[in-house]
Amino acid sequence: MPPKSKLGQNFLIDPQAAGRIAAAFGDLSGRTVVEIGPGRGAITGALASRAQHVLAVELDRELASSLRTRFAPERVTVIEQDVLDFDFAAAAAKAGERLCVAGNLPYYITSQILLKLAAGHKALDTAVLMVQREVADRVTAHPGSRDFGLLSVTMQMHGPVEPLFTLPPGAFSPPPEVHSSVFRWRFAPRFAELGVEEEGFLRFARQAFAQKRKTLVNNLRAAGIAAEAAAAAMEKARIDPRARAESLPLKALAQLWRALSERQSGERSEPPV
Ligand code: SAM
């Protein structure tokens, strides 16, 4: 079966990498792992030999049917489905535990998958994922670095994201044009600890990071927050009035959200933005 580039099919051929991905979860005995895009099964075997069960979600009909002949159904359930439609909460309820998630992600929907995992965090324990190196740099970035942005904030608010290792194009067939990196994401949401409400804070983050070149005040102003209100909240949160959102740690962004929230709760009962 020739690879379908429109489905992001770059198959892993580095024999050690699959083992490193599975090992990055630590002890998988008794656990259920969802594998996103198992393809020809390069990572599936390494997961199945360590976990109790693998739910392998593959969109390509031919690959799904070939995986069914390769793996015993007691170890690997192959689900022919678009992962964007996969119900992680229902799978976790059926497994009776929060799920582990693995995958060498199809690059054309990487961000959508990451946002789906963030939104479904209650059903999830740990994810070990391979993505384009540039995306891994963004999701693991620290505040103040060139790569720190909305995706970093959204993911890191759902738990720590650690870079693990990088593979060259030659580790795949056919080789992609870019390097790929693996990271680990432990789902441990920080909303309660930082005193913010999830939906409102993430909406605020989208507005704070709307335009990279603009200062935070200007982005908030574009979102309909009066410059005076934004300036007062920034002073209260001890943030430089010329700051850009990219320079602020999660804690400072949360302080600002709370300051805006408190200020606006006097004016209306709605969340701040
Ligand atoms: N895991 C395999 C490996 O490492 O060799 C394949 C990885 S390949 C980068 C991405 C895989 O995701 C392909 O098998 C592709 O068919 C599958 N895929 C693409 N879009 C998908 C989708 N929306 N839902 C589920 N699987 C998808």
Side-chain angles (χ1 to χ4, degrees):
M1 280 177 287
K4 300 182 180 95
S5 60
K6 70 173 170 47
L7 288 183
Q9 291 180 354
N10 298 97
F11 299 110
L12 185 62
I13 52 169
D14 176 331
Q16 288 177 351
R20 292 176 77 187
I21 290 171
F25 286 100
D27 183 10
L28 275 177
S29 46
R31 303 304 304 259
T32 298
V33 184
V34 176
E35 188 189 358
I36 299 172
R40 294 175 177 164
I43 304 169
T44 320
L47 295 169
S49 65
R50 291 169 164 86
Q52 178 170 321
H53 202 75
V54 178
L55 301 172
V57 184
E58 173 58 59
L59 181 61
D60 186 317
R61 169 159 299 180
E62 290 164 333
L63 289 176
S65 104
S66 142
L67 286 166
R68 281 196 193 99
T69 62
R70 183 165 159 202
F71 293 103
E74 319 74 80
R75 310 291 309 179
V76 179
T77 302
V78 179
I79 301 163
E80 187 192 318
Q81 191 181 25
D82 184 338
V83 69
L84 297 177
D85 296 330
F86 182 73
D87 189 339
F88 284 92
K94 197 165 171 202
E97 60 170 16
R98 293 193 301 149
L99 304 166
C100 292
V101 182
N104 170 14
L105 299 188
Y107 292 162
Y108 72 106
I109 45 168
T110 297
S111 299
Q112 288 169 73
I113 294 172
L114 296 177
L115 294 176
K116 180 178 170 84
L117 296 178
H121 63 86
K122 291 195 180 100
L124 307 178
D125 180 295
T126 303
V128 177
L129 303 171
M130 175 136 55
V131 297
Q132 220 172 301
R133 180 169 61 183
E134 290 68 21
V135 176
D137 288 347
R138 282 165 58 205
V139 302
T140 58
H142 297 291
S145 76
R146 190 173 50 91
D147 291 317
F148 190 72
L150 182 60
L151 190 61
S152 333
V153 169
T154 307
M155 289 186 54
Q156 293 172 25
M157 281 300 287
H158 290 91
V161 190
E162 308 152 64
L164 296 181
F165 60 92
T166 295
L167 294 174
F172 304 87
S173 172
E177 283 172 10
V178 292
H179 281 62
S180 301
S181 295
V182 176
F183 66 86
R184 179 172 45 218
W185 187 9
R186 294 204 187 274
F187 293 89
R190 301 195 60 194
F191 300 98
E193 166 211 337
L194 294 175
V196 298
E197 181 269 314
E198 179 172 347
E199 204 182 310
F201 178 78
L202 293 177
R203 193 165 52 235
F204 158 76
R206 284 195 290 278
Q207 293 170 334
F209 285 88
Q211 289 204 38
K212 232 180 152 70
R213 285 154 159 259
K214 284 190 177 177
T215 60
L216 183 51
V217 169
N218 282 341
N219 271 329
L220 294 179
R221 197 189 293 163
I225 298 176
E228 184 189 287
M234 285 175 78
E235 191 181 342
K236 185 160 186 211
R238 297 171 195 272
I239 295 171
D240 182 336
R242 294 158 302 173
R244 286 184 161 72
E246 289 74 22
S247 67
L248 300 179
L250 299 183
K251 205 169 168 187
L253 286 167
Q255 274 166 344
L256 177 59
W257 185 87
R258 289 203 310 273
L260 281 167
S261 215
E262 282 160 19
R263 195 181 159 86
Q264 292 192 355
S265 64
E267 295 162 22
R268 56 190 169 111
S269 56
E270 300 263 310
V273 282

